[in-house]
PDB file of all heavy atoms in Angstrom:
ATOM      1  N   TYR A1141     117.346 203.142  62.335  1.00 97.00           N
ATOM      2  CA  TYR A1141     118.405 202.312  62.911  1.00 97.00           C
ATOM      3  C   TYR A1141     119.630 202.316  62.025  1.00 97.00           C
ATOM      4  O   TYR A1141     119.538 202.352  60.813  1.00 97.00           O
ATOM      5  CB  TYR A1141     117.920 200.855  63.042  1.00 97.00           C
ATOM      6  CG  TYR A1141     116.836 200.630  64.050  1.00 97.00           C
ATOM      7  CD1 TYR A1141     115.500 200.703  63.672  1.00 97.00           C
ATOM      8  CD2 TYR A1141     117.143 200.311  65.373  1.00 97.00           C
ATOM      9  CE1 TYR A1141     114.492 200.481  64.588  1.00 97.00           C
ATOM     10  CE2 TYR A1141     116.134 200.072  66.295  1.00 97.00           C
ATOM     11  CZ  TYR A1141     114.810 200.171  65.903  1.00 97.00           C
ATOM     12  OH  TYR A1141     113.818 199.948  66.806  1.00 97.00           O
ATOM     13  N   ALA A1142     120.794 202.200  62.668  1.00 95.00           N
ATOM     14  CA  ALA A1142     121.981 201.892  61.908  1.00 95.00           C
ATOM     15  C   ALA A1142     121.856 200.473  61.378  1.00 95.00           C
ATOM     16  O   ALA A1142     121.262 199.601  62.029  1.00 95.00           O
ATOM     17  CB  ALA A1142     123.224 202.008  62.812  1.00 95.00           C
ATOM     18  N   ASP A1143     122.379 200.247  60.213  1.00 93.00           N
ATOM     19  CA  ASP A1143     122.190 198.955  59.549  1.00 93.00           C
ATOM     20  C   ASP A1143     122.657 197.774  60.416  1.00 93.00           C
ATOM     21  O   ASP A1143     122.001 196.721  60.456  1.00 93.00           O
ATOM     22  CB  ASP A1143     122.934 198.938  58.228  1.00 93.00           C
ATOM     23  CG  ASP A1143     122.261 199.781  57.164  1.00 93.00           C
ATOM     24  OD1 ASP A1143     121.064 200.111  57.343  1.00 93.00           O
ATOM     25  OD2 ASP A1143     122.939 200.132  56.161  1.00 93.00           O
ATOM     26  N   SER A1144     123.751 197.933  61.115  1.00 88.00           N
ATOM     27  CA  SER A1144     124.308 196.813  61.882  1.00 88.00           C
ATOM     28  C   SER A1144     123.480 196.474  63.118  1.00 88.00           C
ATOM     29  O   SER A1144     123.672 195.417  63.715  1.00 88.00           O
ATOM     30  CB  SER A1144     125.755 197.125  62.303  1.00 88.00           C
ATOM     31  OG  SER A1144     125.793 198.266  63.131  1.00 88.00           O
ATOM     32  N   MET A1145     122.557 197.364  63.489  1.00 89.00           N
ATOM     33  CA  MET A1145     121.726 197.127  64.665  1.00 89.00           C
ATOM     34  C   MET A1145     120.329 196.609  64.316  1.00 89.00           C
ATOM     35  O   MET A1145     119.605 196.141  65.172  1.00 89.00           O
ATOM     36  CB  MET A1145     121.563 198.408  65.461  1.00 89.00           C
ATOM     37  CG  MET A1145     122.741 198.774  66.341  1.00 89.00           C
ATOM     38  SD  MET A1145     124.248 199.048  65.399  1.00 89.00           S
ATOM     39  CE  MET A1145     125.008 200.434  66.173  1.00 89.00           C
ATOM     40  N   LYS A1146     119.983 196.713  63.045  1.00 90.00           N
ATOM     41  CA  LYS A1146     118.623 196.283  62.634  1.00 90.00           C
ATOM     42  C   LYS A1146     118.409 194.808  62.956  1.00 90.00           C
ATOM     43  O   LYS A1146     119.260 193.975  62.665  1.00 90.00           O
ATOM     44  CB  LYS A1146     118.426 196.536  61.153  1.00 90.00           C
ATOM     45  CG  LYS A1146     118.302 198.002  60.788  1.00 90.00           C
ATOM     46  CD  LYS A1146     118.093 198.188  59.300  1.00 90.00           C
ATOM     47  CE  LYS A1146     117.972 199.653  58.942  1.00 90.00           C
ATOM     48  NZ  LYS A1146     117.830 199.868  57.491  1.00 90.00           N
ATOM     49  N   GLY A1147     117.257 194.513  63.551  1.00 93.00           N
ATOM     50  CA  GLY A1147     116.925 193.139  63.875  1.00 93.00           C
ATOM     51  C   GLY A1147     117.419 192.678  65.217  1.00 93.00           C
ATOM     52  O   GLY A1147     116.923 191.692  65.757  1.00 93.00           O
ATOM     53  N   ARG A1148     118.383 193.380  65.817  1.00 96.00           N
ATOM     54  CA  ARG A1148     118.889 193.002  67.139  1.00 96.00           C
ATOM     55  C   ARG A1148     118.494 194.026  68.201  1.00 96.00           C
ATOM     56  O   ARG A1148     118.264 193.671  69.349  1.00 96.00           O
ATOM     57  CB  ARG A1148     120.400 192.865  67.122  1.00 96.00           C
ATOM     58  CG  ARG A1148     120.930 191.802  66.198  1.00 96.00           C
ATOM     59  CD  ARG A1148     122.425 191.568  66.440  1.00 96.00           C
ATOM     60  NE  ARG A1148     123.234 192.748  66.200  1.00 96.00           N
ATOM     61  CZ  ARG A1148     124.042 193.291  67.095  1.00 96.00           C
ATOM     62  NH1 ARG A1148     124.171 192.748  68.303  1.00 96.00           N
ATOM     63  NH2 ARG A1148     124.760 194.353  66.788  1.00 96.00           N
ATOM     64  N   PHE A1149     118.441 195.270  67.829  1.00 97.00           N
ATOM     65  CA  PHE A1149     118.109 196.362  68.764  1.00 97.00           C
ATOM     66  C   PHE A1149     116.730 196.924  68.458  1.00 97.00           C
ATOM     67  O   PHE A1149     116.346 197.046  67.282  1.00 97.00           O
ATOM     68  CB  PHE A1149     119.142 197.489  68.660  1.00 97.00           C
ATOM     69  CG  PHE A1149     120.532 197.113  69.106  1.00 97.00           C
ATOM     70  CD1 PHE A1149     120.870 195.841  69.505  1.00 97.00           C
ATOM     71  CD2 PHE A1149     121.523 198.099  69.156  1.00 97.00           C
ATOM     72  CE1 PHE A1149     122.148 195.508  69.919  1.00 97.00           C
ATOM     73  CE2 PHE A1149     122.805 197.787  69.562  1.00 97.00           C
ATOM     74  CZ  PHE A1149     123.116 196.492  69.938  1.00 97.00           C
ATOM     75  N   THR A1150     116.037 197.325  69.503  1.00 98.00           N
ATOM     76  CA  THR A1150     114.735 197.944  69.350  1.00 98.00           C
ATOM     77  C   THR A1150     114.653 199.194  70.229  1.00 98.00           C
ATOM     78  O   THR A1150     114.877 199.111  71.437  1.00 98.00           O
ATOM     79  CB  THR A1150     113.597 196.993  69.738  1.00 98.00           C
ATOM     80  OG1 THR A1150     113.665 195.816  68.946  1.00 98.00           O
ATOM     81  CG2 THR A1150     112.235 197.656  69.520  1.00 98.00           C
ATOM     82  N   ILE A1151     114.352 200.320  69.607  1.00 98.00           N
ATOM     83  CA  ILE A1151     114.209 201.573  70.345  1.00 98.00           C
ATOM     84  C   ILE A1151     112.714 201.844  70.555  1.00 98.00           C
ATOM     85  O   ILE A1151     111.900 201.571  69.685  1.00 98.00           O
ATOM     86  CB  ILE A1151     114.909 202.742  69.600  1.00 98.00           C
ATOM     87  CG1 ILE A1151     114.959 203.975  70.501  1.00 98.00           C
ATOM     88  CG2 ILE A1151     114.217 203.033  68.281  1.00 98.00           C
ATOM     89  CD1 ILE A1151     115.834 205.092  69.941  1.00 98.00           C
ATOM     90  N   SER A1152     112.405 202.387  71.717  1.00 97.00           N
ATOM     91  CA  SER A1152     111.021 202.763  72.021  1.00 97.00           C
ATOM     92  C   SER A1152     111.052 203.975  72.965  1.00 97.00           C
ATOM     93  O   SER A1152     112.115 204.279  73.521  1.00 97.00           O
ATOM     94  CB  SER A1152     110.249 201.590  72.630  1.00 97.00           C
ATOM     95  OG  SER A1152     110.860 201.167  73.834  1.00 97.00           O
ATOM     96  N   ARG A1153     109.915 204.598  73.135  1.00 96.00           N
ATOM     97  CA  ARG A1153     109.876 205.748  74.038  1.00 96.00           C
ATOM     98  C   ARG A1153     108.520 205.872  74.709  1.00 96.00           C
ATOM     99  O   ARG A1153     107.510 205.381  74.170  1.00 96.00           O
ATOM    100  CB  ARG A1153     110.237 207.038  73.303  1.00 96.00           C
ATOM    101  CG  ARG A1153     109.252 207.470  72.231  1.00 96.00           C
ATOM    102  CD  ARG A1153     109.803 208.641  71.415  1.00 96.00           C
ATOM    103  NE  ARG A1153     109.655 209.929  72.113  1.00 96.00           N
ATOM    104  CZ  ARG A1153     110.094 211.088  71.647  1.00 96.00           C
ATOM    105  NH1 ARG A1153     110.748 211.134  70.489  1.00 96.00           N
ATOM    106  NH2 ARG A1153     109.915 212.211  72.330  1.00 96.00           N
ATOM    107  N   ASP A1154     108.537 206.517  75.840  1.00 95.00           N
ATOM    108  CA  ASP A1154     107.321 206.851  76.577  1.00 95.00           C
ATOM    109  C   ASP A1154     107.272 208.359  76.645  1.00 95.00           C
ATOM    110  O   ASP A1154     107.971 208.976  77.454  1.00 95.00           O
ATOM    111  CB  ASP A1154     107.373 206.226  77.965  1.00 95.00           C
ATOM    112  CG  ASP A1154     106.102 206.445  78.769  1.00 95.00           C
ATOM    113  OD1 ASP A1154     105.402 207.473  78.498  1.00 95.00           O
ATOM    114  OD2 ASP A1154     105.825 205.675  79.665  1.00 95.00           O
ATOM    115  N   ASN A1155     106.475 208.982  75.798  1.00 92.00           N
ATOM    116  CA  ASN A1155     106.441 210.421  75.715  1.00 92.00           C
ATOM    117  C   ASN A1155     105.962 211.074  77.024  1.00 92.00           C
ATOM    118  O   ASN A1155     106.442 212.128  77.404  1.00 92.00           O
ATOM    119  CB  ASN A1155     105.528 210.878  74.574  1.00 92.00           C
ATOM    120  CG  ASN A1155     106.126 210.564  73.207  1.00 92.00           C
ATOM    121  OD1 ASN A1155     107.332 210.506  73.043  1.00 92.00           O
ATOM    122  ND2 ASN A1155     105.269 210.336  72.227  1.00 92.00           N
ATOM    123  N   ALA A1156     105.043 210.415  77.689  1.00 92.00           N
ATOM    124  CA  ALA A1156     104.506 210.986  78.941  1.00 92.00           C
ATOM    125  C   ALA A1156     105.579 211.051  80.013  1.00 92.00           C
ATOM    126  O   ALA A1156     105.528 211.906  80.894  1.00 92.00           O
ATOM    127  CB  ALA A1156     103.333 210.152  79.408  1.00 92.00           C
ATOM    128  N   LYS A1157     106.553 210.155  79.938  1.00 93.00           N
ATOM    129  CA  LYS A1157     107.614 210.097  80.955  1.00 93.00           C
ATOM    130  C   LYS A1157     108.948 210.595  80.426  1.00 93.00           C
ATOM    131  O   LYS A1157     109.956 210.465  81.120  1.00 93.00           O
ATOM    132  CB  LYS A1157     107.744 208.667  81.481  1.00 93.00           C
ATOM    133  CG  LYS A1157     106.504 208.150  82.185  1.00 93.00           C
ATOM    134  CD  LYS A1157     106.706 206.748  82.709  1.00 93.00           C
ATOM    135  CE  LYS A1157     105.464 206.253  83.449  1.00 93.00           C
ATOM    136  NZ  LYS A1157     105.650 204.852  83.966  1.00 93.00           N
ATOM    137  N   ASN A1158     108.951 211.144  79.214  1.00 93.00           N
ATOM    138  CA  ASN A1158     110.202 211.670  78.605  1.00 93.00           C
ATOM    139  C   ASN A1158     111.320 210.639  78.706  1.00 93.00           C
ATOM    140  O   ASN A1158     112.447 210.955  79.072  1.00 93.00           O
ATOM    141  CB  ASN A1158     110.631 212.969  79.290  1.00 93.00           C
ATOM    142  CG  ASN A1158     109.654 214.094  79.014  1.00 93.00           C
ATOM    143  OD1 ASN A1158     109.100 214.208  77.927  1.00 93.00           O
ATOM    144  ND2 ASN A1158     109.444 214.955  80.000  1.00 93.00           N
ATOM    145  N   THR A1159     110.991 209.419  78.377  1.00 96.00           N
ATOM    146  CA  THR A1159     111.918 208.314  78.519  1.00 96.00           C
ATOM    147  C   THR A1159     112.078 207.579  77.194  1.00 96.00           C
ATOM    148  O   THR A1159     111.092 207.393  76.463  1.00 96.00           O
ATOM    149  CB  THR A1159     111.440 207.320  79.592  1.00 96.00           C
ATOM    150  OG1 THR A1159     111.320 208.024  80.839  1.00 96.00           O
ATOM    151  CG2 THR A1159     112.423 206.194  79.777  1.00 96.00           C
ATOM    152  N   VAL A1160     113.316 207.184  76.921  1.00 97.00           N
ATOM    153  CA  VAL A1160     113.587 206.376  75.739  1.00 97.00           C
ATOM    154  C   VAL A1160     114.301 205.116  76.194  1.00 97.00           C
ATOM    155  O   VAL A1160     115.072 205.133  77.148  1.00 97.00           O
ATOM    156  CB  VAL A1160     114.446 207.155  74.705  1.00 97.00           C
ATOM    157  CG1 VAL A1160     115.821 207.522  75.274  1.00 97.00           C
ATOM    158  CG2 VAL A1160     114.571 206.401  73.417  1.00 97.00           C
ATOM    159  N   PHE A1161     113.998 204.030  75.509  1.00 98.00           N
ATOM    160  CA  PHE A1161     114.558 202.717  75.842  1.00 98.00           C
ATOM    161  C   PHE A1161     115.314 202.146  74.637  1.00 98.00           C
ATOM    162  O   PHE A1161     114.986 202.468  73.503  1.00 98.00           O
ATOM    163  CB  PHE A1161     113.451 201.744  76.235  1.00 98.00           C
ATOM    164  CG  PHE A1161     112.549 202.247  77.335  1.00 98.00           C
ATOM    165  CD1 PHE A1161     111.327 202.865  77.025  1.00 98.00           C
ATOM    166  CD2 PHE A1161     112.913 202.098  78.662  1.00 98.00           C
ATOM    167  CE1 PHE A1161     110.502 203.327  78.032  1.00 98.00           C
ATOM    168  CE2 PHE A1161     112.085 202.558  79.673  1.00 98.00           C
ATOM    169  CZ  PHE A1161     110.865 203.177  79.364  1.00 98.00           C
ATOM    170  N   LEU A1162     116.255 201.269  74.940  1.00 98.00           N
ATOM    171  CA  LEU A1162     116.935 200.532  73.887  1.00 98.00           C
ATOM    172  C   LEU A1162     117.047 199.088  74.348  1.00 98.00           C
ATOM    173  O   LEU A1162     117.788 198.796  75.280  1.00 98.00           O
ATOM    174  CB  LEU A1162     118.311 201.105  73.589  1.00 98.00           C
ATOM    175  CG  LEU A1162     119.047 200.427  72.428  1.00 98.00           C
ATOM    176  CD1 LEU A1162     118.360 200.754  71.096  1.00 98.00           C
ATOM    177  CD2 LEU A1162     120.510 200.872  72.376  1.00 98.00           C
ATOM    178  N   GLN A1163     116.274 198.225  73.707  1.00 98.00           N
ATOM    179  CA  GLN A1163     116.374 196.796  73.985  1.00 98.00           C
ATOM    180  C   GLN A1163     117.428 196.195  73.029  1.00 98.00           C
ATOM    181  O   GLN A1163     117.292 196.315  71.796  1.00 98.00           O
ATOM    182  CB  GLN A1163     115.019 196.116  73.746  1.00 98.00           C
ATOM    183  CG  GLN A1163     115.031 194.617  73.942  1.00 98.00           C
ATOM    184  CD  GLN A1163     115.292 194.206  75.378  1.00 98.00           C
ATOM    185  OE1 GLN A1163     114.729 194.785  76.292  1.00 98.00           O
ATOM    186  NE2 GLN A1163     116.139 193.202  75.572  1.00 98.00           N
ATOM    187  N   MET A1164     118.428 195.599  73.616  1.00 98.00           N
ATOM    188  CA  MET A1164     119.517 195.035  72.819  1.00 98.00           C
ATOM    189  C   MET A1164     119.558 193.535  73.015  1.00 98.00           C
ATOM    190  O   MET A1164     119.733 193.068  74.150  1.00 98.00           O
ATOM    191  CB  MET A1164     120.853 195.663  73.228  1.00 98.00           C
ATOM    192  CG  MET A1164     120.862 197.193  73.151  1.00 98.00           C
ATOM    193  SD  MET A1164     122.466 197.893  73.503  1.00 98.00           S
ATOM    194  CE  MET A1164     122.637 197.502  75.250  1.00 98.00           C
ATOM    195  N   ASN A1165     119.387 192.799  71.943  1.00 97.00           N
ATOM    196  CA  ASN A1165     119.406 191.342  71.978  1.00 97.00           C
ATOM    197  C   ASN A1165     120.570 190.799  71.159  1.00 97.00           C
ATOM    198  O   ASN A1165     121.100 191.477  70.293  1.00 97.00           O
ATOM    199  CB  ASN A1165     118.089 190.789  71.438  1.00 97.00           C
ATOM    200  CG  ASN A1165     116.895 191.216  72.264  1.00 97.00           C
ATOM    201  OD1 ASN A1165     116.980 191.352  73.485  1.00 97.00           O
ATOM    202  ND2 ASN A1165     115.765 191.405  71.604  1.00 97.00           N
ATOM    203  N   ASN A1166     120.916 189.548  71.430  1.00 96.00           N
ATOM    204  CA  ASN A1166     121.997 188.885  70.692  1.00 96.00           C
ATOM    205  C   ASN A1166     123.236 189.772  70.635  1.00 96.00           C
ATOM    206  O   ASN A1166     123.806 190.007  69.564  1.00 96.00           O
ATOM    207  CB  ASN A1166     121.522 188.529  69.282  1.00 96.00           C
ATOM    208  CG  ASN A1166     122.490 187.639  68.550  1.00 96.00           C
ATOM    209  OD1 ASN A1166     123.291 186.924  69.168  1.00 96.00           O
ATOM    210  ND2 ASN A1166     122.436 187.667  67.220  1.00 96.00           N
ATOM    211  N   LEU A1167     123.647 190.233  71.778  1.00 97.00           N
ATOM    212  CA  LEU A1167     124.788 191.152  71.841  1.00 97.00           C
ATOM    213  C   LEU A1167     126.069 190.442  71.433  1.00 97.00           C
ATOM    214  O   LEU A1167     126.284 189.241  71.700  1.00 97.00           O
ATOM    215  CB  LEU A1167     124.916 191.742  73.237  1.00 97.00           C
ATOM    216  CG  LEU A1167     123.887 192.832  73.523  1.00 97.00           C
ATOM    217  CD1 LEU A1167     123.753 193.066  75.027  1.00 97.00           C
ATOM    218  CD2 LEU A1167     124.293 194.128  72.830  1.00 97.00           C
ATOM    219  N   LYS A1168     126.931 191.243  70.788  1.00 96.00           N
ATOM    220  CA  LYS A1168     128.214 190.724  70.284  1.00 96.00           C
ATOM    221  C   LYS A1168     129.359 191.522  70.935  1.00 96.00           C
ATOM    222  O   LYS A1168     129.133 192.660  71.363  1.00 96.00           O
ATOM    223  CB  LYS A1168     128.265 190.913  68.777  1.00 96.00           C
ATOM    224  CG  LYS A1168     127.103 190.247  68.038  1.00 96.00           C
ATOM    225  CD  LYS A1168     127.154 190.564  66.547  1.00 96.00           C
ATOM    226  CE  LYS A1168     125.978 189.947  65.824  1.00 96.00           C
ATOM    227  NZ  LYS A1168     126.005 190.230  64.373  1.00 96.00           N
ATOM    228  N   PRO A1169     130.538 190.944  70.974  1.00 96.00           N
ATOM    229  CA  PRO A1169     131.676 191.682  71.555  1.00 96.00           C
ATOM    230  C   PRO A1169     131.883 193.049  70.890  1.00 96.00           C
ATOM    231  O   PRO A1169     132.277 194.015  71.577  1.00 96.00           O
ATOM    232  CB  PRO A1169     132.863 190.744  71.302  1.00 96.00           C
ATOM    233  CG  PRO A1169     132.235 189.384  71.330  1.00 96.00           C
ATOM    234  CD  PRO A1169     130.894 189.558  70.658  1.00 96.00           C
ATOM    235  N   GLU A1170     131.584 193.158  69.626  1.00 95.00           N
ATOM    236  CA  GLU A1170     131.774 194.439  68.935  1.00 95.00           C
ATOM    237  C   GLU A1170     130.738 195.487  69.323  1.00 95.00           C
ATOM    238  O   GLU A1170     130.812 196.631  68.909  1.00 95.00           O
ATOM    239  CB  GLU A1170     131.781 194.251  67.416  1.00 95.00           C
ATOM    240  CG  GLU A1170     130.612 193.463  66.879  1.00 95.00           C
ATOM    241  CD  GLU A1170     130.935 191.997  66.672  1.00 95.00           C
ATOM    242  OE1 GLU A1170     131.631 191.402  67.555  1.00 95.00           O
ATOM    243  OE2 GLU A1170     130.471 191.423  65.655  1.00 95.00           O
ATOM    244  N   ASP A1171     129.734 195.072  70.115  1.00 96.00           N
ATOM    245  CA  ASP A1171     128.771 196.045  70.651  1.00 96.00           C
ATOM    246  C   ASP A1171     129.295 196.745  71.882  1.00 96.00           C
ATOM    247  O   ASP A1171     128.655 197.662  72.419  1.00 96.00           O
ATOM    248  CB  ASP A1171     127.443 195.359  70.974  1.00 96.00           C
ATOM    249  CG  ASP A1171     126.744 194.831  69.751  1.00 96.00           C
ATOM    250  OD1 ASP A1171     126.714 195.562  68.716  1.00 96.00           O
ATOM    251  OD2 ASP A1171     126.200 193.720  69.815  1.00 96.00           O
ATOM    252  N   THR A1172     130.453 196.305  72.380  1.00 97.00           N
ATOM    253  CA  THR A1172     131.043 196.939  73.564  1.00 97.00           C
ATOM    254  C   THR A1172     131.352 198.394  73.287  1.00 97.00           C
ATOM    255  O   THR A1172     132.040 198.738  72.311  1.00 97.00           O
ATOM    256  CB  THR A1172     132.318 196.201  73.950  1.00 97.00           C
ATOM    257  OG1 THR A1172     132.002 194.863  74.362  1.00 97.00           O
ATOM    258  CG2 THR A1172     133.034 196.926  75.095  1.00 97.00           C
ATOM    259  N   ALA A1173     130.806 199.270  74.106  1.00 98.00           N
ATOM    260  CA  ALA A1173     130.964 200.704  73.923  1.00 98.00           C
ATOM    261  C   ALA A1173     130.294 201.449  75.049  1.00 98.00           C
ATOM    262  O   ALA A1173     129.512 200.843  75.835  1.00 98.00           O
ATOM    263  CB  ALA A1173     130.358 201.148  72.588  1.00 98.00           C
ATOM    264  N   ALA A1174     130.527 202.739  75.103  1.00 98.00           N
ATOM    265  CA  ALA A1174     129.721 203.615  75.953  1.00 98.00           C
ATOM    266  C   ALA A1174     128.507 204.046  75.136  1.00 98.00           C
ATOM    267  O   ALA A1174     128.678 204.512  74.006  1.00 98.00           O
ATOM    268  CB  ALA A1174     130.521 204.814  76.412  1.00 98.00           C
ATOM    269  N   TYR A1175     127.338 203.904  75.701  1.00 98.00           N
ATOM    270  CA  TYR A1175     126.112 204.242  75.004  1.00 98.00           C
ATOM    271  C   TYR A1175     125.565 205.552  75.562  1.00 98.00           C
ATOM    272  O   TYR A1175     125.390 205.689  76.771  1.00 98.00           O
ATOM    273  CB  TYR A1175     125.084 203.124  75.151  1.00 98.00           C
ATOM    274  CG  TYR A1175     125.407 201.932  74.271  1.00 98.00           C
ATOM    275  CD1 TYR A1175     126.494 201.127  74.535  1.00 98.00           C
ATOM    276  CD2 TYR A1175     124.619 201.653  73.163  1.00 98.00           C
ATOM    277  CE1 TYR A1175     126.818 200.052  73.711  1.00 98.00           C
ATOM    278  CE2 TYR A1175     124.915 200.575  72.333  1.00 98.00           C
ATOM    279  CZ  TYR A1175     126.023 199.778  72.601  1.00 98.00           C
ATOM    280  OH  TYR A1175     126.339 198.722  71.788  1.00 98.00           O
ATOM    281  N   TYR A1176     125.286 206.476  74.653  1.00 98.00           N
ATOM    282  CA  TYR A1176     124.845 207.804  75.032  1.00 98.00           C
ATOM    283  C   TYR A1176     123.434 208.075  74.542  1.00 98.00           C
ATOM    284  O   TYR A1176     123.081 207.796  73.399  1.00 98.00           O
ATOM    285  CB  TYR A1176     125.771 208.873  74.422  1.00 98.00           C
ATOM    286  CG  TYR A1176     127.181 208.805  74.958  1.00 98.00           C
ATOM    287  CD1 TYR A1176     128.143 208.025  74.322  1.00 98.00           C
ATOM    288  CD2 TYR A1176     127.562 209.528  76.091  1.00 98.00           C
ATOM    289  CE1 TYR A1176     129.449 207.962  74.805  1.00 98.00           C
ATOM    290  CE2 TYR A1176     128.843 209.477  76.572  1.00 98.00           C
ATOM    291  CZ  TYR A1176     129.783 208.680  75.912  1.00 98.00           C
ATOM    292  OH  TYR A1176     131.071 208.626  76.406  1.00 98.00           O
ATOM    293  N   CYS A1177     122.654 208.672  75.420  1.00 97.00           N
ATOM    294  CA  CYS A1177     121.309 209.099  75.074  1.00 97.00           C
ATOM    295  C   CYS A1177     121.371 210.514  74.500  1.00 97.00           C
ATOM    296  O   CYS A1177     122.187 211.341  74.955  1.00 97.00           O
ATOM    297  CB  CYS A1177     120.451 209.083  76.339  1.00 97.00           C
ATOM    298  SG  CYS A1177     118.788 209.694  76.156  1.00 97.00           S
ATOM    299  N   ASN A1178     120.536 210.764  73.534  1.00 97.00           N
ATOM    300  CA  ASN A1178     120.456 212.093  72.921  1.00 97.00           C
ATOM    301  C   ASN A1178     119.015 212.510  72.807  1.00 97.00           C
ATOM    302  O   ASN A1178     118.124 211.692  72.494  1.00 97.00           O
ATOM    303  CB  ASN A1178     121.109 212.066  71.530  1.00 97.00           C
ATOM    304  CG  ASN A1178     120.958 213.371  70.781  1.00 97.00           C
ATOM    305  OD1 ASN A1178     120.016 213.588  70.034  1.00 97.00           O
ATOM    306  ND2 ASN A1178     121.907 214.258  71.004  1.00 97.00           N
ATOM    307  N   ALA A1179     118.759 213.797  73.046  1.00 95.00           N
ATOM    308  CA  ALA A1179     117.401 214.329  72.882  1.00 95.00           C
ATOM    309  C   ALA A1179     117.486 215.672  72.182  1.00 95.00           C
ATOM    310  O   ALA A1179     118.339 216.493  72.493  1.00 95.00           O
ATOM    311  CB  ALA A1179     116.719 214.477  74.227  1.00 95.00           C
ATOM    312  N   VAL A1180     116.625 215.857  71.206  1.00 92.00           N
ATOM    313  CA  VAL A1180     116.546 217.129  70.479  1.00 92.00           C
ATOM    314  C   VAL A1180     115.312 217.875  70.943  1.00 92.00           C
ATOM    315  O   VAL A1180     114.173 217.374  70.767  1.00 92.00           O
ATOM    316  CB  VAL A1180     116.505 216.908  68.959  1.00 92.00           C
ATOM    317  CG1 VAL A1180     116.392 218.234  68.226  1.00 92.00           C
ATOM    318  CG2 VAL A1180     117.749 216.160  68.505  1.00 92.00           C
ATOM    319  N   ILE A1181     115.537 219.041  71.549  1.00 89.00           N
ATOM    320  CA  ILE A1181     114.455 219.830  72.111  1.00 89.00           C
ATOM    321  C   ILE A1181     114.534 221.241  71.529  1.00 89.00           C
ATOM    322  O   ILE A1181     115.549 221.924  71.738  1.00 89.00           O
ATOM    323  CB  ILE A1181     114.552 219.894  73.647  1.00 89.00           C
ATOM    324  CG1 ILE A1181     114.539 218.466  74.214  1.00 89.00           C
ATOM    325  CG2 ILE A1181     113.444 220.728  74.249  1.00 89.00           C
ATOM    326  CD1 ILE A1181     114.873 218.381  75.672  1.00 89.00           C
ATOM    327  N   VAL A1182     113.507 221.617  70.789  1.00 87.00           N
ATOM    328  CA  VAL A1182     113.471 222.914  70.130  1.00 87.00           C
ATOM    329  C   VAL A1182     114.756 223.154  69.351  1.00 87.00           C
ATOM    330  O   VAL A1182     115.409 224.209  69.456  1.00 87.00           O
ATOM    331  CB  VAL A1182     113.224 224.062  71.159  1.00 87.00           C
ATOM    332  CG1 VAL A1182     112.802 225.339  70.389  1.00 87.00           C
ATOM    333  CG2 VAL A1182     112.149 223.693  72.146  1.00 87.00           C
TER     334      VAL A1182
END
């Protein structure tokens, strides 16, 4: 995690479904942004 997200955001994944999640709690105005998913394959 990036330091500023620790304790507020939680990342998880479901390998069987090739899915990643981001649970974001206690959101702040400075969290406003476009959020992009990234995957590294081979």
